[in-house]
Amino acid sequence: MTNKVVVLGSLNVDTTLHIVQMPKPGETISASSKTNSAGGKGANQAVAAVRSGAETSFIGQVGDDDLGSFMVDALSGNKIDTKEIDKISEEGTGSAVILLDKNGQNCIMVYGGANQAIKPSKIDKAEELIASADILIAQFETPQDVTLHAFEIAKEHGVTTILNPAPATKIIDGLLAVTDLIVPNETESATLTDIPVTDVDSMDKNATRFAEMGIDNLIITVGDRGAYYHTKDDSGFVKAFKVKAVDTTAAGDTFIGAFSSQINKDLSNIEQALIYAQKASSITVQRAGALPSIPTSKEIDAEYK
């Protein structure tokens, strides 16, 4: 079975500056090189989903500019349905500047632009597309009230909703009630629950806190250690595959997109989908850039026979 995945999210053109080490406050440093690529959490997740075999569509917004055309072409070139990506003249296309050090760690600054200008009325136009999906994914690089409206429509049509609360910020009332699965990383989880993530016991406590907030199904990604999962029926920890990281940009997005391509609507195969997602993200971190680093299902199968 092929999942039909719809991503509501951000479209950013990424500029990556390659540096030896992160600058200190007030310090001026030189970059050894600069690269530009298509990115944004939404775009990354959509590309990861489609490259792992999901029938993927996108709901989003870009500026009426060259960068906007570049982003739409990047997605359509990956066989993603872009009919629900609008161009607006009021805001420019989203962009991000990424500082990438020699150890593969990054620091990212994002300009939301057109991503942050999406209105709930945009979702009404896309209701038929949402209703046709198996999985709907959203992040926090677009307005939460838009995500709430999209998730409400999704639930009316039996669509499974996945929320990636990144960058972490206070979650608006009602959103978790229409979210089936929340997927923060360890920092985002701690920000939302006020409980530091250090070990499995602390992850259990995070899960308890999220349940108190109104959501039982949780995945916490913890970088090169792996991923923790908790549902009403089960919990556990899936270790990451050990590789040498070159660039961690888009690793978490690859994880979520690849996961969405494999997960059953009732989350019944969550551990198997997590293992697949870990394989995908382990390949991503061994490559440079955002979209260019995301593997196909064939590459994942070849790497992990």
Side-chain angles (χ1 to χ4, degrees), residues 91-114:
E91 296 282 351
T93 299
S95 60
V97 175
I98 302 168
L99 302 182
L100 177 65
D101 73 15
K102 65 178 181 180
N103 296 315
Q105 294 303 307
N106 62 37
C107 181
I108 305 174
M109 294 149 285
V110 178
Y111 160 67

Side-chain angles (χ1 to χ4, degrees), residues 144 148 170-176:
Q144 287 192 45
L148 173 60
K170 180 177 170 56
I171 300 174
I172 64 172
D173 292 343
L175 181 53
L176 290 182

Side-chain angles (χ1 to χ4, degrees), residues 13-27:
V13 176
D14 292 342
T15 297
T16 302
L17 299 175
H18 299 261
I19 57 178
V20 175
Q21 61 188 28
M22 294 296 170
K24 301 179 181 67
E27 181 182 18

Side-chain angles (χ1 to χ4, degrees), residues 199-249:
D199 53 19
V200 172
D201 181 61
S202 65
M203 295 177 204
D204 287 336
K205 290 176 181 175
N206 270 260
T208 299
R209 178 68 186 114
F210 274 115
E212 292 168 353
M213 293 163 65
I215 183 157
D216 294 305
N217 301 316
L218 166 71
I219 294 171
I220 303 175
T221 58
V222 286
D224 60 4
R225 286 186 287 159
Y228 166 90
Y229 68 94
H230 185 280
T231 68
K232 282 185 176 180
D233 304 317
D234 196 14
S235 67
F237 191 87
V238 176
K239 290 184 177 180
F241 294 86
K242 295 301 180 184
V243 297
K244 181 173 175 53
V246 172
D247 182 358
T248 57
T249 306

Side-chain angles (χ1 to χ4, degrees), residues 6-10 41-42 45 135-143 146-148 150-151 161-166 175 181 183 256:
V6 173
V7 178
L8 163 64
S10 53
K41 289 186 177 299
Q45 291 170 15
I135 308 289
L136 173 63
I137 305 172
Q139 326 80 37
F140 281 174
E141 288 186 343
T142 51
V146 176
T147 298
L148 173 60
F151 278 21
T161 53
I162 297 177
L163 180 64
N164 174 216
L175 181 53
L181 173 67
V183 189
I256 291 170

Side-chain angles (χ1 to χ4, degrees), residues 264-286:
N264 294 337
K265 288 182 67 175
D266 62 1
L267 308 181
S268 58
N269 64 333
I270 190 167
E271 186 170 359
Q272 293 89 340
L274 277 173
I275 292 169
Y276 179 87
Q278 292 281 25
K279 291 176 180 178
S281 58
S282 76
I283 295 174
T284 292
V285 300
Q286 295 179 75

